[in-house]
Amino acid sequence: MLRYFSGSPSHDLDFASILAPLSEFMKKCPEVTLELFGPLRLAIPGLPQARVRWLPKVSYDHLPKHLGSTWVNLAPLVPNDFNDCKSAIKFLESAAFVCPTLASKNDDLLRHQELGAPVVLCDDEQDWYRQLHLMLDLDRRCDIGGKAMNHVAAHGMASSHVTSWLHALDLGESP
């Protein structure tokens, strides 16, 4: 099950940026379903409507239930000033529940990749299509998801940084 979690209507253009490769992928893979969460207001004519479910925005308390049963989280971002400064939260949330994420590049995702995170970053439509196909491999998904969860435990939890933050506060230095 592919899932896309939209938090606001600003994500319409982001999701639209992967419609072509996603449509082609779903046409060739009839076993794949897609759930779209949140306030998306766009037409999706190329997607097989019988395998697409539209669901309301999920509260943060219920997000783990959905992430835990997702086999790939989609996090596309169109390149613009607003998206360039977004955090890696979609990756971190999914990774905490052993769910791999396919994402567009941004500085924070690249930062996590440099720290060793198994972030699957897609550059263009062909890359999205190729990476979607690669995610059909269960062993690959599980490997990426497990490594992503370990990355979050080491780098994505506030508790793992408390000591350095407290030290910085005491000395007036940045960590």
Side-chain angles (χ1 to χ4, degrees):
M1 165 109 35
L2 298 171
R3 288 196 170 127
Y4 178 71
F5 296 91
S6 170
S8 69
S10 70
H11 293 289
D12 285 1
L13 291 175
D14 294 329
F15 187 74
S17 74
I18 63 165
L19 266 177
L22 184 58
S23 296
E24 191 62 32
F25 170 73
M26 288 187 72
K27 285 176 191 170
K28 292 188 178 173
C29 302
E31 71 279 16
V32 175
T33 58
L34 170 67
E35 288 187 343
L36 302 169
F37 288 82
L40 288 173
R41 300 169 301 177
L42 72 157
I44 54 167
L47 294 175
Q49 301 300 307
R51 297 189 343 248
V52 177
R53 288 184 54 205
W54 293 80
L55 299 156
K57 186 176 176 179
V58 177
S59 73
Y60 198 73
D61 292 337
H62 291 109
L63 189 59
K65 176 181 108 175
H66 297 288
L67 288 172
S69 62
T70 301
W71 61 269
V72 175
N73 178 44
L74 302 173
L77 295 171
V78 294
N80 61 39
D81 290 342
F82 178 69
N83 285 341
D84 288 346
C85 67
K86 285 196 173 184
S87 74
I89 191 71
K90 297 276 189 199
F91 162 73
L92 296 170
E93 289 170 339
S94 295
F97 295 94
V98 198
C99 176
T101 296
L102 295 183
S104 302
K105 288 182 183 175
N106 78 358
D107 285 346
D108 201 28
L109 285 167
L110 289 169
R111 179 179 67 88
H112 280 281
Q113 191 177 55
E114 289 169 7
L115 290 170
V119 181
V120 181
L121 299 175
C122 302
D123 290 318
D124 54 31
E125 288 186 356
Q126 293 81 16
D127 212 16
W128 278 95
Y129 182 79
R130 184 175 61 80
Q131 292 298 340
L132 284 163
H133 271 283
L134 289 172
M135 286 294 170
L136 291 172
D137 181 331
L138 177 62
D139 291 335
R140 184 173 194 275
R141 282 197 322 266
C142 290
D143 182 57
I144 291 171
K147 288 176 179 172
M149 183 184 67
N150 291 336
H151 174 80
V152 168
H155 302 285
M157 306 297 270
S159 59
S160 64
H161 300 284
V162 168
T163 302
S164 64
W165 291 342
L166 289 174
H167 179 71
L169 289 172
D170 287 341
L171 300 176
E173 300 173 2
S174 60

